C-alpha cells in the first residue's frame, strides 16, 4: 500500500523557520515528481513546490520563491520543504504528493494529475 506521510508541521512565529518532511512507502518514488501543496483556511488547495525525480528541476509558486526550498533524498524515499521567513499567510495544511514522470528533469505545478497524496500537516504562523 502506497503511503505518503508528512511531518514537521507546528506553530511558529512570523519570521521563523520550519522543515517539513514527507516519507514515502509502499513503492520506490525514484521515478516520481514529488511536491508540496497547501490549503489555507477558507481557500482552495494550491501548488507550493515540486521537484523532479532527478532533483535537477524545481518549481515554486511566486509567493514562496526565495523563502522555501524543496529537496529530496531518493535513497530515503523522502522529500523535504525548508520554509524560512515564514509569514502568517503561509498558515495552511501542507500536503505531500507524487506524480509519475518518464522524464528526469520534469516538474509539475498543478494539483491535478498527482497520483498519490498524503494526509497533510498543519503549519501555523503567528504574527
Amino acid at each position: 500500500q502506497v503511503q505518503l506521510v508528512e511531518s514537521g508541521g507546528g506553530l511558529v512565529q512570523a519570521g521563523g523557520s520550519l522543515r517539513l518532511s514527507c516519507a514515502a512507502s509502499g513503492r520506490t518514488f525514484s521515478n516520481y515528481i514529488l511536491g508540496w501543496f497547501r490549503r489555507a483556511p477558507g481557500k482552495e488547495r494550491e501548488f507550493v513546490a515540486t521537484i523532479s525525480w532527478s532533483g535537477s528541476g524545481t518549481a515554486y509558486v511566486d509567493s514562496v520563491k526565495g523563502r522555501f526550498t524543496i529537496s529530496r533524498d531518493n535513497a530515503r524515499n523522502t522529500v523535504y520543504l525548508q520554509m524560512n521567513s515564514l509569514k502568517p499567510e503561509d498558515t495552511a495544511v501542507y500536503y505531500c504528493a507524487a506524480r509519475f514522470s518518464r522524464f528526469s528533469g520534469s516538474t509539475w505545478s498543478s494539483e491535478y494529475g498527482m497520483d498519490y497524496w498524503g494526509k497533510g500537516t498543519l503549519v501555523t504562523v503567528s504574527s
Side-chain angles (χ1 to χ4, degrees):
Q1 184 179 359
V2 173
Q3 277 192 314
L4 299 176
V5 180
E6 303 92 339
S7 61
L11 174 63
V12 63
Q13 287 189 330
S17 298
L18 280 176
R19 188 194 196 204
L20 305 184
S21 299
C22 173
S25 62
R27 68 171 304 130
T28 180
F29 281 85
S30 56
N31 289 93
Y32 280 74
I33 295 166
L34 296 176
W36 292 94
F37 297 76
R38 67 186 179 186
R39 188 194 304 273
K43 294 188 177 181
E44 298 291 319
R45 186 163 57 187
E46 67 169 349
F47 159 76
V48 176
T50 55
I51 185 168
S52 66
W53 57 259
S54 69
S56 64
T58 56
Y60 298 91
V61 68
D62 285 347
S63 60
V64 308
K65 285 180 179 177
R67 300 189 298 121
F68 291 10
T69 302
I70 189 170
S71 60
R72 66 188 292 164
D73 183 340
N74 285 341
R76 289 185 167 85
N77 250 9
T78 301
V79 62
Y80 306 96
L81 186 68
Q82 178 66 44
M83 304 186 295
N84 299 329
S85 302
L86 282 161
K87 304 175 180 179
E89 52 263 44
D90 294 318
T91 294
V93 177
Y94 284 72
Y95 298 90
C96 174
R99 172 183 169 85
F100 176 77
S101 176
R102 300 182 186 280
F103 307 105
S104 62
S106 291
T107 58
W108 192 255
S109 57
S110 170
E111 63 173 322
Y112 300 103
M114 301 306 286
D115 298 314
Y116 301 104
W117 289 90
K119 293 183 178 181
T121 186
L122 177 62
V123 172
T124 303
V125 184
S126 63
S127 57

